[in-house]
Protein backbone atom coordinates (compact mmCIF):
# COMPACT_ATOMS: atom_id res chain seq x y z
CA UNK A 1 0.00 0.00 0.00
CA UNK A 2 1.22 3.52 -0.78
CA UNK A 3 2.01 6.02 1.96
CA UNK A 4 -0.71 8.32 3.34
CA UNK A 5 -0.94 11.46 1.22
CA UNK A 6 -2.91 14.68 1.35
CA UNK A 7 -3.23 17.32 -1.38
CA UNK A 8 -4.93 20.71 -0.99
CA UNK A 9 -5.76 23.56 -3.38
CA UNK A 10 -6.36 27.25 -2.78
CA UNK A 11 -8.31 27.87 -5.98
CA UNK A 12 -7.72 28.33 -9.69
CA UNK A 13 -7.51 31.83 -11.16
CA UNK A 14 -4.92 34.52 -11.76
CA UNK A 15 -3.05 34.98 -8.51
CA UNK A 16 -0.88 38.12 -8.76
CA UNK A 17 2.84 37.47 -8.50
CA UNK A 18 3.15 39.38 -5.21
CA UNK A 19 0.49 37.14 -3.56
CA UNK A 20 1.74 33.80 -4.85
CA UNK A 21 4.06 33.06 -1.91
CA UNK A 22 1.26 33.72 0.60
CA UNK A 23 -1.11 31.41 -1.31
CA UNK A 24 1.49 28.65 -1.33
CA UNK A 25 2.22 29.17 2.37
CA UNK A 26 -1.51 29.05 3.15
CA UNK A 27 -1.83 25.78 1.26
CA UNK A 28 1.26 24.32 2.96
CA UNK A 29 -0.12 25.19 6.42
CA UNK A 30 -3.40 23.48 5.55
CA UNK A 31 -1.65 20.39 4.21
CA UNK A 32 0.44 20.24 7.39
CA UNK A 33 -2.71 20.46 9.56
CA UNK A 34 -4.31 17.59 7.63
CA UNK A 35 -1.10 15.58 7.84
CA UNK A 36 -0.97 15.99 11.61
CA UNK A 37 -4.43 14.45 11.84
CA UNK A 38 -3.18 11.46 9.83
CA UNK A 39 -0.07 11.09 12.00
CA UNK A 40 -2.29 11.08 15.08
CA UNK A 41 -4.27 8.15 13.63
CA UNK A 42 -7.09 10.17 12.07
CA UNK A 43 -8.80 9.00 8.90
CA UNK A 44 -9.02 10.61 5.46
CA UNK A 45 -12.32 12.40 6.19
CA UNK A 46 -10.96 13.92 9.39
CA UNK A 47 -7.79 14.99 7.58
CA UNK A 48 -9.50 16.72 4.63
CA UNK A 49 -11.87 18.55 6.98
CA UNK A 50 -8.98 19.76 9.16
CA UNK A 51 -7.09 20.98 6.08
CA UNK A 52 -10.11 22.78 4.62
CA UNK A 53 -10.85 24.37 8.00
CA UNK A 54 -7.38 25.97 7.96
CA UNK A 55 -8.01 27.26 4.42
CA UNK A 56 -11.45 28.63 5.45
CA UNK A 57 -9.81 30.52 8.32
CA UNK A 58 -7.21 32.10 6.03
CA UNK A 59 -8.61 35.37 4.60
CA UNK A 60 -6.61 35.16 1.38
CA UNK A 61 -8.85 32.33 0.15
CA UNK A 62 -12.46 32.54 -1.04
CA UNK A 63 -14.00 30.35 1.66
CA UNK A 64 -15.05 31.04 5.23
CA UNK A 65 -13.17 34.21 6.20
CA UNK A 66 -12.39 36.11 2.98
CA UNK A 67 -15.38 34.68 1.06
CA UNK A 68 -16.86 36.34 -2.02
CA UNK A 69 -20.16 38.22 -1.66
CA UNK A 70 -23.48 38.00 -3.47
CA UNK A 71 -24.80 40.79 -5.71
CA UNK A 72 -26.58 42.35 -2.72
CA UNK A 73 -23.50 42.07 -0.49
CA UNK A 74 -24.55 38.94 1.39
CA UNK A 75 -22.56 35.89 2.44
CA UNK A 76 -23.64 32.58 0.84
CA UNK A 77 -21.30 29.66 1.53
CA UNK A 78 -21.11 26.22 -0.10
CA UNK A 79 -19.20 23.15 1.09
CA UNK A 80 -19.13 19.37 0.73
CA UNK A 81 -17.36 16.31 2.10
CA UNK A 82 -17.31 12.75 0.74
CA UNK A 83 -15.85 9.55 2.18
CA UNK A 84 -14.64 7.15 -0.51
CA UNK A 85 -14.77 4.18 1.90
CA UNK A 86 -18.35 4.43 3.17
CA UNK A 87 -19.49 6.46 0.13
CA UNK A 88 -21.31 8.77 2.54
CA UNK A 89 -21.42 12.36 1.35
CA UNK A 90 -22.88 15.71 2.35
CA UNK A 91 -23.21 19.15 0.84
CA UNK A 92 -24.30 22.42 2.44
CA UNK A 93 -25.28 25.25 0.09
CA UNK A 94 -26.16 28.91 0.31
CA UNK A 95 -25.69 29.34 4.05
CA UNK A 96 -24.94 32.64 5.77
CA UNK A 97 -21.90 33.55 7.86
CA UNK A 98 -20.76 30.36 9.54
CA UNK A 99 -17.03 30.22 10.29
CA UNK A 100 -16.36 26.69 9.00
CA UNK A 101 -19.00 25.34 6.60
CA UNK A 102 -16.90 22.21 6.01
CA UNK A 103 -17.55 21.16 9.62
CA UNK A 104 -21.31 21.47 9.04
CA UNK A 105 -21.02 19.25 5.95
CA UNK A 106 -18.93 16.76 7.95
CA UNK A 107 -21.64 16.67 10.64
CA UNK A 108 -24.32 16.02 8.00
CA UNK A 109 -22.33 13.25 6.28
CA UNK A 110 -23.54 10.27 8.37
CA UNK A 111 -27.20 11.32 7.92
CA UNK A 112 -29.53 10.14 5.16
CA UNK A 113 -29.85 13.55 3.50
CA UNK A 114 -27.02 14.48 1.14
CA UNK A 115 -27.71 18.16 0.40
CA UNK A 116 -29.17 20.93 2.58
CA UNK A 117 -29.45 24.49 1.30
CA UNK A 118 -30.41 28.00 2.41
CA UNK A 119 -32.18 29.04 5.60
CA UNK A 120 -33.28 25.49 6.43
CA UNK A 121 -29.66 24.36 6.27
CA UNK A 122 -28.82 27.14 8.71
CA UNK A 123 -31.57 25.93 11.06
CA UNK A 124 -30.11 22.42 10.83
CA UNK A 125 -26.64 23.76 11.59
CA UNK A 126 -27.91 25.70 14.61
CA UNK A 127 -29.68 22.61 15.89
CA UNK A 128 -26.44 20.67 15.60
CA UNK A 129 -24.31 23.08 17.59
CA UNK A 130 -23.00 25.52 14.97
CA UNK A 131 -23.37 29.24 15.69
CA UNK A 132 -23.29 31.86 12.93
CA UNK A 133 -20.69 34.60 13.34
CA UNK A 134 -21.18 38.32 12.62
CA UNK A 135 -20.88 38.86 8.86
CA UNK A 136 -18.06 41.33 9.55
CA UNK A 137 -15.92 38.46 10.88
CA UNK A 138 -15.82 36.92 7.39
CA UNK A 139 -15.81 39.99 5.12
CA UNK A 140 -12.39 41.54 4.56
CA UNK A 141 -11.51 45.00 3.18
CA UNK A 142 -9.97 43.34 0.14
CA UNK A 143 -13.15 41.39 -0.58
CA UNK A 144 -15.27 44.54 -0.23
CA UNK A 145 -13.05 46.35 -2.72
CA UNK A 146 -13.37 43.54 -5.29
CA UNK A 147 -17.14 43.33 -4.67
CA UNK A 148 -17.52 47.08 -5.27
CA UNK A 149 -15.52 46.79 -8.49
CA UNK A 150 -17.73 43.93 -9.73
CA UNK A 151 -21.07 45.44 -8.69
CA UNK A 152 -20.37 49.10 -9.48
CA UNK A 153 -17.89 48.90 -12.38
CA UNK A 154 -18.70 45.53 -13.95
CA UNK A 155 -15.27 44.11 -13.03
CA UNK A 156 -14.72 40.39 -13.51
CA UNK A 157 -13.78 39.65 -9.89
CA UNK A 158 -11.62 36.61 -10.70
CA UNK A 159 -13.22 35.18 -7.63
CA UNK A 160 -14.35 31.65 -8.27
CA UNK A 161 -10.59 31.33 -7.91
CA UNK A 162 -9.91 31.00 -4.21
CA UNK A 163 -12.30 28.11 -3.69
CA UNK A 164 -10.46 25.65 -1.46
CA UNK A 165 -10.34 21.87 -1.23
CA UNK A 166 -8.48 18.81 -0.04
CA UNK A 167 -8.18 15.16 -1.06
CA UNK A 168 -6.57 12.41 0.98
CA UNK A 169 -5.51 8.76 1.03
CA UNK A 170 -5.10 7.61 4.62
CA UNK A 171 -3.03 4.80 6.16
CA UNK A 172 -5.81 2.28 5.45
CA UNK A 173 -5.86 3.31 1.77
CA UNK A 174 -9.25 5.03 2.17
CA UNK A 175 -9.97 8.16 0.14
CA UNK A 176 -11.84 11.40 0.99
CA UNK A 177 -12.50 14.80 -0.58
CA UNK A 178 -13.76 18.13 0.74
CA UNK A 179 -14.39 21.52 -0.90
CA UNK A 180 -15.48 24.93 0.43
CA UNK A 181 -16.22 28.26 -1.24
CA UNK A 182 -17.92 31.64 -1.16
CA UNK A 183 -18.71 31.09 -4.84
CA UNK A 184 -18.46 33.66 -7.60
CA UNK A 185 -18.15 37.34 -6.64
CA UNK A 186 -21.42 39.26 -7.15
CA UNK A 187 -23.38 36.03 -7.73
CA UNK A 188 -27.17 36.08 -7.82
CA UNK A 189 -28.53 35.44 -4.32
CA UNK A 190 -29.65 31.80 -4.20
CA UNK A 191 -26.96 30.65 -6.64
CA UNK A 192 -25.30 27.36 -5.67
CA UNK A 193 -22.01 26.40 -7.32
CA UNK A 194 -20.38 23.07 -8.06
CA UNK A 195 -18.55 22.74 -4.72
CA UNK A 196 -21.39 21.30 -2.59
CA UNK A 197 -22.72 19.10 -5.42
CA UNK A 198 -21.45 15.53 -5.19
CA UNK A 199 -20.19 14.47 -8.62
CA UNK A 200 -19.71 18.07 -9.81
CA UNK A 201 -17.11 19.81 -7.62
CA UNK A 202 -16.49 17.09 -5.04
CA UNK A 203 -16.29 13.29 -5.21
CA UNK A 204 -14.53 10.30 -3.62
CA UNK A 205 -14.82 6.54 -4.00
CA UNK A 206 -12.52 3.59 -3.37
CA UNK A 207 -10.34 4.49 -6.37
CA UNK A 208 -9.96 8.28 -6.25
CA UNK A 209 -10.80 11.59 -4.61
CA UNK A 210 -11.29 14.92 -6.40
CA UNK A 211 -11.96 18.55 -5.49
CA UNK A 212 -12.56 21.14 -8.21
CA UNK A 213 -12.26 24.93 -8.45
CA UNK A 214 -13.26 27.39 -11.13
CA UNK A 215 -16.38 28.43 -13.02
CA UNK A 216 -18.87 26.30 -11.16
CA UNK A 217 -21.68 26.29 -13.70
CA UNK A 218 -19.41 24.62 -16.27
CA UNK A 219 -18.27 22.02 -13.74
CA UNK A 220 -21.92 21.29 -12.84
CA UNK A 221 -23.08 20.93 -16.46
CA UNK A 222 -20.17 18.63 -17.30
CA UNK A 223 -20.71 16.49 -14.15
CA UNK A 224 -16.99 16.98 -13.75
CA UNK A 225 -15.95 14.98 -10.68
CA UNK A 226 -18.24 12.04 -11.47
CA UNK A 227 -16.97 11.85 -15.05
CA UNK A 228 -13.40 11.88 -13.79
CA UNK A 229 -14.07 9.03 -11.36
CA UNK A 230 -15.74 7.01 -14.16
CA UNK A 231 -12.77 7.54 -16.48
CA UNK A 232 -10.37 6.34 -13.78
CA UNK A 233 -12.57 3.33 -13.06
CA UNK A 234 -12.49 2.56 -16.82
CA UNK A 235 -8.69 2.47 -16.69
CA UNK A 236 -7.79 5.85 -18.17
CA UNK A 237 -4.54 7.20 -16.68
CA UNK A 238 -5.39 9.67 -13.88
CA UNK A 239 -3.33 12.56 -15.25
CA UNK A 240 -4.59 12.04 -18.81
CA UNK A 241 -8.20 11.78 -17.57
CA UNK A 242 -7.96 14.97 -15.50
CA UNK A 243 -6.25 16.91 -18.28
CA UNK A 244 -8.80 15.78 -20.88
CA UNK A 245 -11.76 16.67 -18.68
CA UNK A 246 -10.45 20.11 -17.75
CA UNK A 247 -9.94 20.83 -21.45
CA UNK A 248 -13.45 19.55 -22.17
CA UNK A 249 -14.88 21.83 -19.43
CA UNK A 250 -13.00 24.75 -21.00
CA UNK A 251 -13.71 24.05 -24.68
CA UNK A 252 -17.16 22.44 -24.59
CA UNK A 253 -18.71 23.89 -21.40
CA UNK A 254 -16.89 27.26 -21.64
CA UNK A 255 -15.49 27.42 -18.14
CA UNK A 256 -11.93 27.46 -16.85
CA UNK A 257 -10.71 26.11 -13.55
CA UNK A 258 -8.72 23.32 -12.02
CA UNK A 259 -8.83 20.33 -9.72
CA UNK A 260 -6.77 18.18 -7.41
CA UNK A 261 -6.87 14.43 -7.86
CA UNK A 262 -5.52 11.59 -5.76
CA UNK A 263 -5.88 7.92 -6.64
CA UNK A 264 -5.59 4.91 -4.39
CA UNK A 265 -2.31 3.88 -6.03
CA UNK A 266 -0.72 6.99 -7.50
CA UNK A 267 0.86 10.38 -6.78
CA UNK A 268 -1.10 13.59 -6.10
CA UNK A 269 -2.09 15.50 -9.27
CA UNK A 270 -2.92 19.23 -9.33
CA UNK A 271 -3.90 20.63 -12.77
CA UNK A 272 -5.65 23.75 -14.07
CA UNK A 273 -6.65 25.57 -17.25
CA UNK A 274 -6.17 28.96 -15.55
CA UNK A 275 -2.92 30.90 -15.15
CA UNK A 276 -2.44 29.66 -11.60
CA UNK A 277 -3.79 27.31 -8.95
CA UNK A 278 -2.07 27.17 -5.57
CA UNK A 279 -1.63 23.71 -4.05
CA UNK A 280 0.36 21.79 -1.46
CA UNK A 281 0.97 18.12 -0.71
CA UNK A 282 1.70 16.37 2.56
CA UNK A 283 3.35 12.97 3.00
CA UNK A 284 4.97 11.64 6.20
CA UNK A 285 8.35 12.86 4.95
CA UNK A 286 7.65 16.26 3.35
CA UNK A 287 5.33 19.15 2.57
CA UNK A 288 5.59 20.59 -0.95
CA UNK A 289 3.74 23.52 -2.47
CA UNK A 290 3.34 24.99 -5.92
CA UNK A 291 1.31 27.33 -8.06
N1 LIG B 1 -16.18 26.63 -8.15
C1 LIG B 1 -16.80 27.40 -7.17
C2 LIG B 1 -18.04 28.02 -7.60
O1 LIG B 1 -18.23 28.24 -8.78
O2 LIG B 1 -18.88 28.32 -6.76
Amino acid sequence: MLEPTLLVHGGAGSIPLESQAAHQQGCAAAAQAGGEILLAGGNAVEAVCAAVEVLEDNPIFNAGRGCALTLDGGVSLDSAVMCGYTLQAAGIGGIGPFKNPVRIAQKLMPKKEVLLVGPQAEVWALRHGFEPVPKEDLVTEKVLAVWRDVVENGGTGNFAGGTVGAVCRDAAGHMAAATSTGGTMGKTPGRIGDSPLIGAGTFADEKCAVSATGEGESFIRSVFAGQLACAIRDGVGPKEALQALLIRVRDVYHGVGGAILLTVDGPPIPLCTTETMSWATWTPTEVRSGI
Side-chain angles (χ1 to χ4, degrees), residues 17 33 56 64 96 111 116 137 140 176 182 203 221 234 236 263 276 278:
L17 202 56
E56 287 177 335
K111 313 284 185 203
L116 296 183
D137 285 9
T140 64
F203 189 76
R221 288 186 288 112
D234 287 347
V236 183
T263 58
T276 57
S278 55

Side-chain angles (χ1 to χ4, degrees), residues 208-233:
C208 74
V210 56
S211 168
T213 162
E215 295 179 281
E217 284 71 13
S218 303
F219 284 78
I220 294 171
R221 288 186 288 112
S222 65
V223 201
F224 174 78
Q227 292 282 358
L228 182 55
C230 281
I232 288 166
R233 182 173 295 280

Side-chain angles (χ1 to χ4, degrees), residues 131-246:
E131 286 288 333
V133 295
K135 182 182 151 191
E136 296 67 40
D137 285 9
L138 301 187
V139 179
T140 64
E141 281 304 317
K142 187 184 135 220
V143 164
L144 273 176
V146 179
W147 176 77
R148 276 192 207 103
D149 184 51
V150 168
V151 170
E152 290 165 15
N153 306 327
T156 59
N158 179 30
F159 229 85
T163 291
V164 304
V167 293
C168 179
R169 176 178 66 227
D170 65 21
H174 298 156
M175 315 294 298
T179 312
S180 186
T181 188
T184 46
M185 183 61 92
K187 64 187 178 183
T188 301
R191 181 257 191 197
I192 304 282
D194 60 315
S195 304
L197 303 183
I198 301 305
T202 307
F203 189 76
D205 64 11
E206 74 280 17
K207 297 257 184 233
C208 74
V210 56
S211 168
T213 162
E215 295 179 281
E217 284 71 13
S218 303
F219 284 78
I220 294 171
R221 288 186 288 112
S222 65
V223 201
F224 174 78
Q227 292 282 358
L228 182 55
C230 281
I232 288 166
R233 182 173 295 280
D234 287 347
V236 183
K239 191 166 179 194
E240 293 68 31
L242 178 55
Q243 201 151 31
L245 266 166
L246 286 172

